[in-house]
Amino acid sequence: MAGNKTFTMLKPDAVVAGNIGNILAMINNAGFKIVSMKYTKLSKDDAGKFYAVHKSRPFYDELCDYMSSGPIVAAILEKENAVEDFRKLIGATDPTKAEEGTIRKMYAKSIEANAVHGSDSDENASLEGSFFFNKFERF
Ligand code: IDP
Ligand code: MG
């Protein structure tokens, strides 16, 4: 059975462009409840750990530089079928391929600076949420 939680980050490009409010409104309007939230900044080392699964990909080093270039918002979201529904709401990794009305189509700057992260499985949602929030902060 699909889980009811996912993890997101509003990435540095979205924060610096002043889109936190607009993106959170889209998330709420799509039926997601915010159950944990934090405004923070990753060090390059933190970003490297978070994206360790992408270590062998050619864009890894650049991605870690980018993700540590400015503040982010990390959040745990709750909704039935959260992981799949949130991936639909954010759209394709490459904003030029994202569907109309998706967060990435509306706010992403590029395939790298693509406004938001969304977990790709229940297992990763749980691991990624634990990366940012301790058990007393995960509702
Ligand atoms: P996802 O965020 O849609 O799940 P992943 O393939 O898991 O996409 O990649 C993680 C992140 O790495 C992307 O969100 C994006 O910021 C960055 N990324 C992915 N592919 C590329 C690329 O080809 N060039 C530069 N950055 C990329
Ligand atoms: Mg991914």
Side-chain angles (χ1 to χ4, degrees):
M1 201 190 82
N4 66 347
K5 286 204 175 109
T6 192
F7 171 78
T8 188
M9 289 183 285
L10 310 194
K11 297 186 180 184
D13 64 289
V15 174
V16 82
N19 288 325
I20 295 175
N22 291 335
I23 293 173
L24 290 180
M26 283 181 77
I27 290 172
N28 281 149
N29 290 339
F32 292 88
K33 193 171 140 194
I34 296 163
V35 293
S36 305
M37 186 157 75
K38 189 177 281 182
Y39 185 90
T40 185
K41 188 171 183 293
L42 295 171
S43 66
K44 185 166 179 182
D45 191 53
D46 295 330
K49 284 183 185 135
F50 184 87
Y51 281 112
V53 293
H54 296 309
K55 215 169 197 151
S56 61
R57 295 174 82 178
F59 56 82
Y60 175 73
D61 191 58
E62 220 180 277
L63 174 64
C64 295
D65 279 335
Y66 162 63
M67 285 302 296
S68 56
S69 67
I72 61 155
V73 175
I76 297 174
L77 306 174
E78 193 175 87
K79 183 186 183 294
E80 212 176 278
N81 202 37
V83 166
E84 195 186 335
D85 287 2
F86 193 69
R87 295 288 304 199
K88 274 195 200 121
L89 177 66
I90 70 179
T93 308
D94 179 351
T96 66
K97 297 186 178 132
E99 276 184 49
E100 288 300 331
T102 60
I103 294 175
R104 282 170 168 169
K105 182 72 178 186
M106 292 173 74
Y107 295 111
K109 309 280 187 249
S110 67
I111 191 169
E112 177 181 75
N114 59 3
V116 277
H117 169 83
S119 305
D120 62 6
S121 66
D122 289 343
E123 190 191 358
N124 284 336
S126 171
L127 288 170
E128 291 169 1
S130 306
F131 190 90
F132 283 90
F133 300 97
N134 70 46
K135 64 181 176 179
F136 302 109
E137 297 170 317
R138 295 199 298 270
F139 300 110

